[in-house]
Amino acid sequence: MHFLRAERTVVAELLPGLDEALAALPLAVLERPGNPALALFRQHGGPGLLIPAEHGGRGATALQAVRVQRALGSRSPSLAIATTMHHFSVATLVEMSVGASSSGFEWLVLEGIARQRLYVASGFAEGRPDTSILSSGIEVRRTEGGLVLSGSKKPCSLSQSMDLLTASIRLPTEDGRPGELAVVIIPAATPGIERRPFWNSPALAGAESEEIVLREVHVPDNLIAHAAGQKDWDHVQERSFLWFELLITASYLGAASALVERVLTTGRGTPCERALPAIEVEAAMAAVEGVARAIMAGERGPDLLARALFVRFAVQSAVERAAACAAELLGGMAFVTAPDVALLLASVRALAFHPPSRGSISPALDCHLNGGTLRVE
């Protein structure tokens, strides 16, 4: 079958054996808490996907990365979403590593992630309404040799499997007020880190999106990555946010593609009817790949981020249409006799819940379209 062949070919090249291992397991098994998908991804070297080969990673290009995420989403939406959060943290460290203030510490961390196949959970603000994606609700105070952190993140994907937790903070000034922005890297075994149940939906339950609580967690100075001023930080935020939007969009596109694939393999409907949802997801993937190719061509700045956001919201609508159409073609018996259709339908809809919401970002996009500067707050 040509459908999803390009995506699964990339997985076979970069993470050989992973797609076959996932395909051998029922969707219901892959989507439940405690499923084997995250262990399989780790076993096949997935945590190093975006880390350059010279630092022990797989060195995936942007185009390869979005194809991998779509392929993963077609096998297990929970795995695709959880690994996107990992890649977001990795991308943030990569962007900081090329900043003017980098001391090389970030590359040491990235090399450890790749070679030891470590999972990095994101303690950034994703999931908190009306908050910048690189902000956090963590309270920070200075102590001898480092910082003490208290607060929580919910939901936090990879809550059980994480080896490291990253979060952005503001370093306290001498008078205790929030100052310079920085990123902390916290080993998951650090005393004071707690995990609490939070996710009650059966959709995407395999992503381990529970609550992480920090109670007086000590972070030494050598686990704090700094940015060289606001301009450098703005660059990091823009590029990291771009990666997040691109990968999360491809992941949900994979979930919708799973329904379309079921229509194609079962031969439900007429050729014309089967083509309708396939047209939606293939056109959407072409748009995602267009942004990925722009990254590879060296494009930068707010214009590219705006393009990524336009694509994300176009895909958000397209996958909902494709999923609904595919589910209708599969029929009522497929819906009531197995959990796959219901799980995939619910999973696809969750793209709308990731930041920024269409309503919150529309004023900024309108400003951009009229010649202003795009700002994602």
Side-chain angles (χ1 to χ4, degrees):
M1 180 182 288
H2 285 281
F3 189 68
L4 292 174
R5 185 171 66 181
E7 289 79 5
R8 287 171 181 162
T9 297
V10 173
V11 176
E13 292 170 352
L14 295 177
L15 308 172
L18 176 60
D19 186 65
E20 293 84 352
L22 294 172
L25 296 169
L27 180 69
V29 170
L30 293 171
E31 291 303 290
R32 69 190 183 195
N35 69 77
L38 287 167
L40 287 170
F41 188 79
R42 189 200 297 269
Q43 176 186 330
H44 289 84
L49 185 70
L50 297 187
I51 298 173
E54 59 265 32
H55 294 283
R58 302 304 166 101
T61 66
L63 180 61
Q64 289 174 321
V66 296
R67 288 181 174 177
V68 167
Q69 292 309 111
R70 185 189 183 190
L72 294 184
S74 74
R75 298 299 191 195
S76 169
S78 289
L79 176 62
I81 302 313
T83 56
T84 289
M85 301 308 175
H86 165 87
H87 297 321
F88 170 56
S89 294
V90 167
T92 300
L93 292 173
V94 170
E95 295 301 331
M96 294 191 75
S97 72
V98 297
S101 63
S102 175
S103 63
F105 162 67
E106 298 89 354
W107 282 125
L108 290 175
V109 174
L110 289 164
E111 187 162 330
I113 291 168
R115 298 194 185 281
Q116 299 176 51
R117 302 184 178 186
L118 305 179
Y119 272 129
V120 187
S122 169
F124 298 114
E126 198 276 335
R128 295 172 57 229
D130 304 318
T131 309
S132 168
I133 196 170
L134 282 179
S135 300
S136 71
I138 297 174
E139 296 179 358
V140 184
R141 76 170 191 271
R142 288 196 179 275
T143 189
E144 184 176 354
L147 303 170
V148 174
L149 276 54
S150 296
S152 75
K153 166 72 192 300
K154 57 181 180 181
C156 184
S157 298
L158 296 169
S159 59
Q160 301 301 321
S161 296
M162 69 175 183
D163 301 288
L164 300 170
L165 175 69
T166 58
S168 62
I169 59 163
R170 284 192 176 272
L171 298 172
T173 59
E174 290 186 2
D175 58 5
R177 291 182 298 177
E180 175 193 351
L181 285 158
V183 170
V184 292
I185 300 103
I186 312 171
T190 301
I193 296 181
E194 300 177 11
R195 298 161 176 82
R196 291 179 178 174
F198 177 74
W199 194 268
N200 290 318
S201 171
L204 304 174
E208 300 183 348
S209 298
E210 310 300 344
E211 180 181 11
I212 296 294
V213 179
L214 306 181
R215 295 186 183 277
E216 299 286 298
V217 173
H218 180 259
V219 180
D221 287 329
N222 64 353
L223 293 181
I224 303 170
H226 299 259
Q230 188 62 45
K231 183 176 181 181
D232 196 27
W233 184 257
D234 287 346
H235 169 81
V236 169
Q237 178 167 346
E238 178 185 280
R239 294 288 292 175
S240 301
F241 194 41
L242 175 61
W243 275 104
F244 173 77
E245 291 299 320
L246 200 61
L247 296 177
I248 204 72
T249 301
S251 296
Y252 282 101
L253 185 51
S257 299
L259 282 167
V260 177
E261 185 175 35
R262 283 161 171 75
V263 170
L264 295 173
T265 56
T266 58
R268 300 284 298 185
T270 67
C272 184
E273 289 172 329
R274 290 194 295 273
L276 286 176
I279 288 168
E280 293 277 16
V281 293
E282 290 302 282
M285 188 61 184
V288 170
E289 290 188 353
V291 178
R293 292 179 190 276
I295 292 175
M296 294 167 62
E299 291 190 35
R300 299 287 187 275
D303 287 351
L304 184 58
L305 178 55
R307 196 187 317 169
L309 288 166
F310 289 133
V311 167
R312 175 258 169 98
F313 291 116
V315 173
Q316 183 174 305
S317 298
V319 295
E320 291 173 12
R321 293 192 300 268
C325 180
E328 184 176 352
L329 287 172
L330 288 169
M333 291 304 293
F335 184 86
V336 301
T337 58
D340 289 17
V341 175
L343 277 173
L344 291 169
L345 276 172
S347 297
V348 165
R349 190 65 184 86
L351 177 55
F353 307 141
H354 289 277
S357 68
R358 189 154 35 198
S360 68
I361 198 62
S362 290
L365 292 175
D366 179 68
C367 175
H368 171 78
L369 291 168
N370 282 286
T373 300
L374 176 70
R375 294 194 64 83
V376 180
E377 302 294 343

